[in-house]
Each structure stands twice: as C-alpha cells, then as structure tokens.
Amino acid sequence: MRRVVREIEITDSVTWLNLFGAREERLHRMEKALGVRFIARGTRIQIEGEEGKVEKADMLLSRMIEVASDSEGVDPLDLEKPIAETANGKNPEEIGFKERKDLSITVPKRVIRPKSKNQRDYIKAMLSSDMVFAIGPAGTGKTYLAMAVAVSSLLKKEVERIILTRPAVEAGEKLGFLPGDIQEKVNPYLRPLYDALYDMVELGRAERMISRGLIEVAPLAFMRGRTLGNAFVIMDEAQNTSPEQMKMLLTRIGFGSKAVITGDVTQIDLPKGSVSGLVNAIEILEGIEGIEVVRLTESDVVRHPLVQRIIWAYDSKRESPDDAQ
C-alpha cells in the first residue's frame, strides 16, 4: 500500500500538553495503536505510514485536538478511550466527543461526562426513565455514573434522598456474628458505594448528608418492609441477589422515586445452581414501559487500559472450545 505523509499544526502549548502529556507519552501510545509514525517538529506533527492508517490517524488526531483545547479542562480518559477504540477498528467519525458535553453531570467536586456511546445511552436512560438496569463488566461506570446522576438529582431537589444498597452476599446477609456495631458490620460490603460518593462530594459534606439521612447506605436486607418514596435508589452488585430479593427491592419503590440496578452477570457469587435475581428480572421486565435495560461492554471500560485487555482475555478463554467440553 502507498505510504504517505500528512502534517497537522498545533499552535497552542496548553492544547499540546493536554493532548500528548509532559513527555509526549500519549503520542507514542498512538503510534503503537494506529500503526503510524508521528514526528513532532516545533508546532507541527507529521504522520507517516500507509495511506489508510495515516488517514485514520489524521482524522482521530484532528478530533482529539478539539477535546484537548477544551477550556473547562481535560479528562485524560477523554483522550485514551478514542485511541483504544480506533485501534480496535472503530472509525474515528463514530467516536463521540462533543456529544459528551451535552450530557455532562455536575457534582460538587467535578464535572462528569460519559466516555462512550453506551455510557451516553445509560445517562439518557437514567434521566428519562424511572427504572434502569445496567449490565456490564467491572470498570464500565455502572455504579459511578448512577451515583453522579443521583447526587446531581439530590442537589437539584428532584429527589429528597439517595439510598445506596447492595447484597452482603459474602456474609450470606447474616451479619450478626461479625464484630462491631451494625455500621462496622456492613461497611466492608458497601465500601465501593462510599468510594464513589466521596469522589464526588467533599468528605465532610458527604458525612453530614449521611448523618442527616439525605444519603443512606445499607445492605439489601435492610430494605425489606419499607416504601422508598421520593428517593434515588441504587442497587449495586445486583447479580448476587436471589429472584425473591430482587422482587422485594423493586416493589419497595414509591412515588417520586427512581431506581438504578447495576450488576455484572459474569461475576455471580451465589451458590452453584442458584438463579440470579438480576438475570431473572431482565428476562421478566425488559420491554415494560418505564423500564430500560442498558448493556455496557468491555469497550466501555474506563479504568487502566490493562483492565480492558484483561476482560477480553477472560472472555476469550470463557468462549474457547476447550471450555465447552
């Protein structure tokens, strides 16, 4: 194939630093991912390589410059994800950049934007529907984005409280034998929810909101017998519920409430032979008006790039013919 050279000029030093990093580390990652050679000369970047690859790199780099010049600040993941998606065969024209700003979620400590089309669909679903199921592997933003929408809704007074829950499956939800008071018993199982909350709201403010009952973090077993009205309810790790537990929570939802149920159906920790309440609920409820199901995949992973490759490796092994024997 014919080899070509193209050139792009970047005159703004801030954009250059945002785009490539202090030692131009991202430029080297782009070379490896896209199969081209970048040569930095002053304010100009030359792209050398096969014509098709150079065209794709030129298109991606031009769009990334728009992101890197954002006066509101740049999230490194906004630049890393497009590189990975292009390397995996996606056309740069199909990768959303500007659209993310239209769905930004503002919380006290940061502005949160979706990193992929599926994450945009997830946020849209949470904003428009009263009940959303989000399924996908670790690191796809299921819980984090739900927390962002919940905190934003609370601060806008769209709901009166946030309720965060997950099954304490490792202890069989029989917490009595564990040491400490009830909060000390359940905290290890709810830590990921606290982590997401503290990443969005200053520690002191978050603790005041918890002490006032504006934010409640509790194991799923504590939801029994309650009516959860005017609340934003998030159930995490829902794949580890039984069908009875899932039905119990879903029928607790009261007027003025929203519910987001998240889980990874490839990471079920229930006893062998048990039916996951998440899998069962989707089979029964998908398609009902007012309920949306959003499926995220490994391409939506927003953690370290290695996480995405680890998920692909495990999925490939799970689907291999040897495992079916």
Side-chain angles (χ1 to χ4, degrees), residues 72 100-114 123 127 144-145 147-156 158 199-201 205:
E72 297 180 5
R100 288 201 286 267
K101 297 179 183 179
D102 299 334
L103 280 174
S104 62
I105 305 297
T106 301
V107 293
K109 289 176 68 174
R110 64 187 71 249
V111 176
I112 297 166
R113 299 185 179 102
I123 291 178
L127 295 175
Y144 192 83
L145 291 176
M147 184 72 76
V149 175
V151 169
S152 176
S153 298
L154 180 64
L155 296 178
K156 291 177 182 176
E158 295 171 349
D199 194 53
M200 299 175 195
V201 181
R205 185 177 182 181

Side-chain angles (χ1 to χ4, degrees), residues 285-301:
L285 302 176
E286 187 167 12
I288 292 179
E289 185 177 355
I291 298 176
E292 290 201 48
V293 177
V294 178
R295 292 175 171 84
L296 298 116
T297 69
E298 64 275 357
S299 65
D300 300 301
V301 170

Side-chain angles (χ1 to χ4, degrees), residues 65-276:
I65 289 171
E66 298 176 19
V67 177
S69 61
D70 188 347
S71 61
E72 297 180 5
V74 178
D75 184 337
L77 286 169
D78 284 340
L79 301 172
E80 295 290 350
K81 282 284 292 178
I83 296 171
E85 291 182 1
T86 304
N88 291 329
K90 181 171 282 190
N91 191 310
E93 291 181 334
E94 300 172 357
I95 299 172
F97 287 97
K98 289 183 177 179
E99 298 89 334
R100 288 201 286 267
K101 297 179 183 179
D102 299 334
L103 280 174
S104 62
I105 305 297
T106 301
V107 293
K109 289 176 68 174
R110 64 187 71 249
V111 176
I112 297 166
R113 299 185 179 102
K115 313 298 182 187
S116 66
K117 180 183 181 302
N118 286 337
Q119 287 194 353
R120 290 199 302 278
D121 291 344
Y122 182 27
I123 291 178
K124 286 180 181 177
M126 288 189 285
L127 295 175
S128 63
S129 299
D130 288 338
M131 186 174 291
V132 177
F133 288 85
I135 309 163
T140 52
K142 302 183 301 295
T143 305
Y144 192 83
L145 291 176
M147 184 72 76
V149 175
V151 169
S152 176
S153 298
L154 180 64
L155 296 178
K156 291 177 182 176
K157 301 188 183 304
E158 295 171 349
V159 295
E160 296 177 357
R161 55 184 171 155
I162 298 172
I163 296 174
L164 311 171
T165 187
R166 65 188 295 181
V169 68
E170 295 88 344
E173 292 206 312
K174 296 178 181 177
L175 303 168
F177 67 89
L178 295 175
D181 61 24
I182 188 61
Q183 203 62 41
E184 292 170 331
K185 293 175 191 288
V186 303
N187 271 353
Y189 305 101
L190 305 173
R191 189 75 252 169
L193 297 173
Y194 282 111
D195 289 343
L197 174 62
Y198 294 149
D199 194 53
M200 299 175 195
V201 181
E202 294 81 0
L203 178 61
R205 185 177 182 181
E207 290 181 343
R208 288 193 298 273
M209 295 169 83
I210 291 171
S211 66
R212 292 167 54 196
L214 297 176
I215 299 176
E216 178 183 348
V217 188
L220 180 60
F222 287 24
M223 299 298 111
R224 192 173 301 277
R226 301 176 60 185
T227 298
L228 308 176
N230 297 309
F232 197 114
V233 182
I234 300 173
M235 179 163 69
D236 194 32
E237 297 291 328
Q239 75 275 7
N240 289 324
T241 61
S242 67
E244 293 76 19
Q245 289 173 319
M246 177 64 74
K247 182 180 178 182
M248 178 272 292
L249 180 81
L250 298 184
T251 54
R252 299 303 95 202
I253 306 303
F255 289 107
S257 290
K258 283 180 175 280
V260 179
I261 299 94
T262 71
D264 178 359
V265 295
T266 70
Q267 297 290 329
I268 297 174
D269 297 320
L270 296 171
K272 188 174 182 179
S274 300
V275 177
S276 166

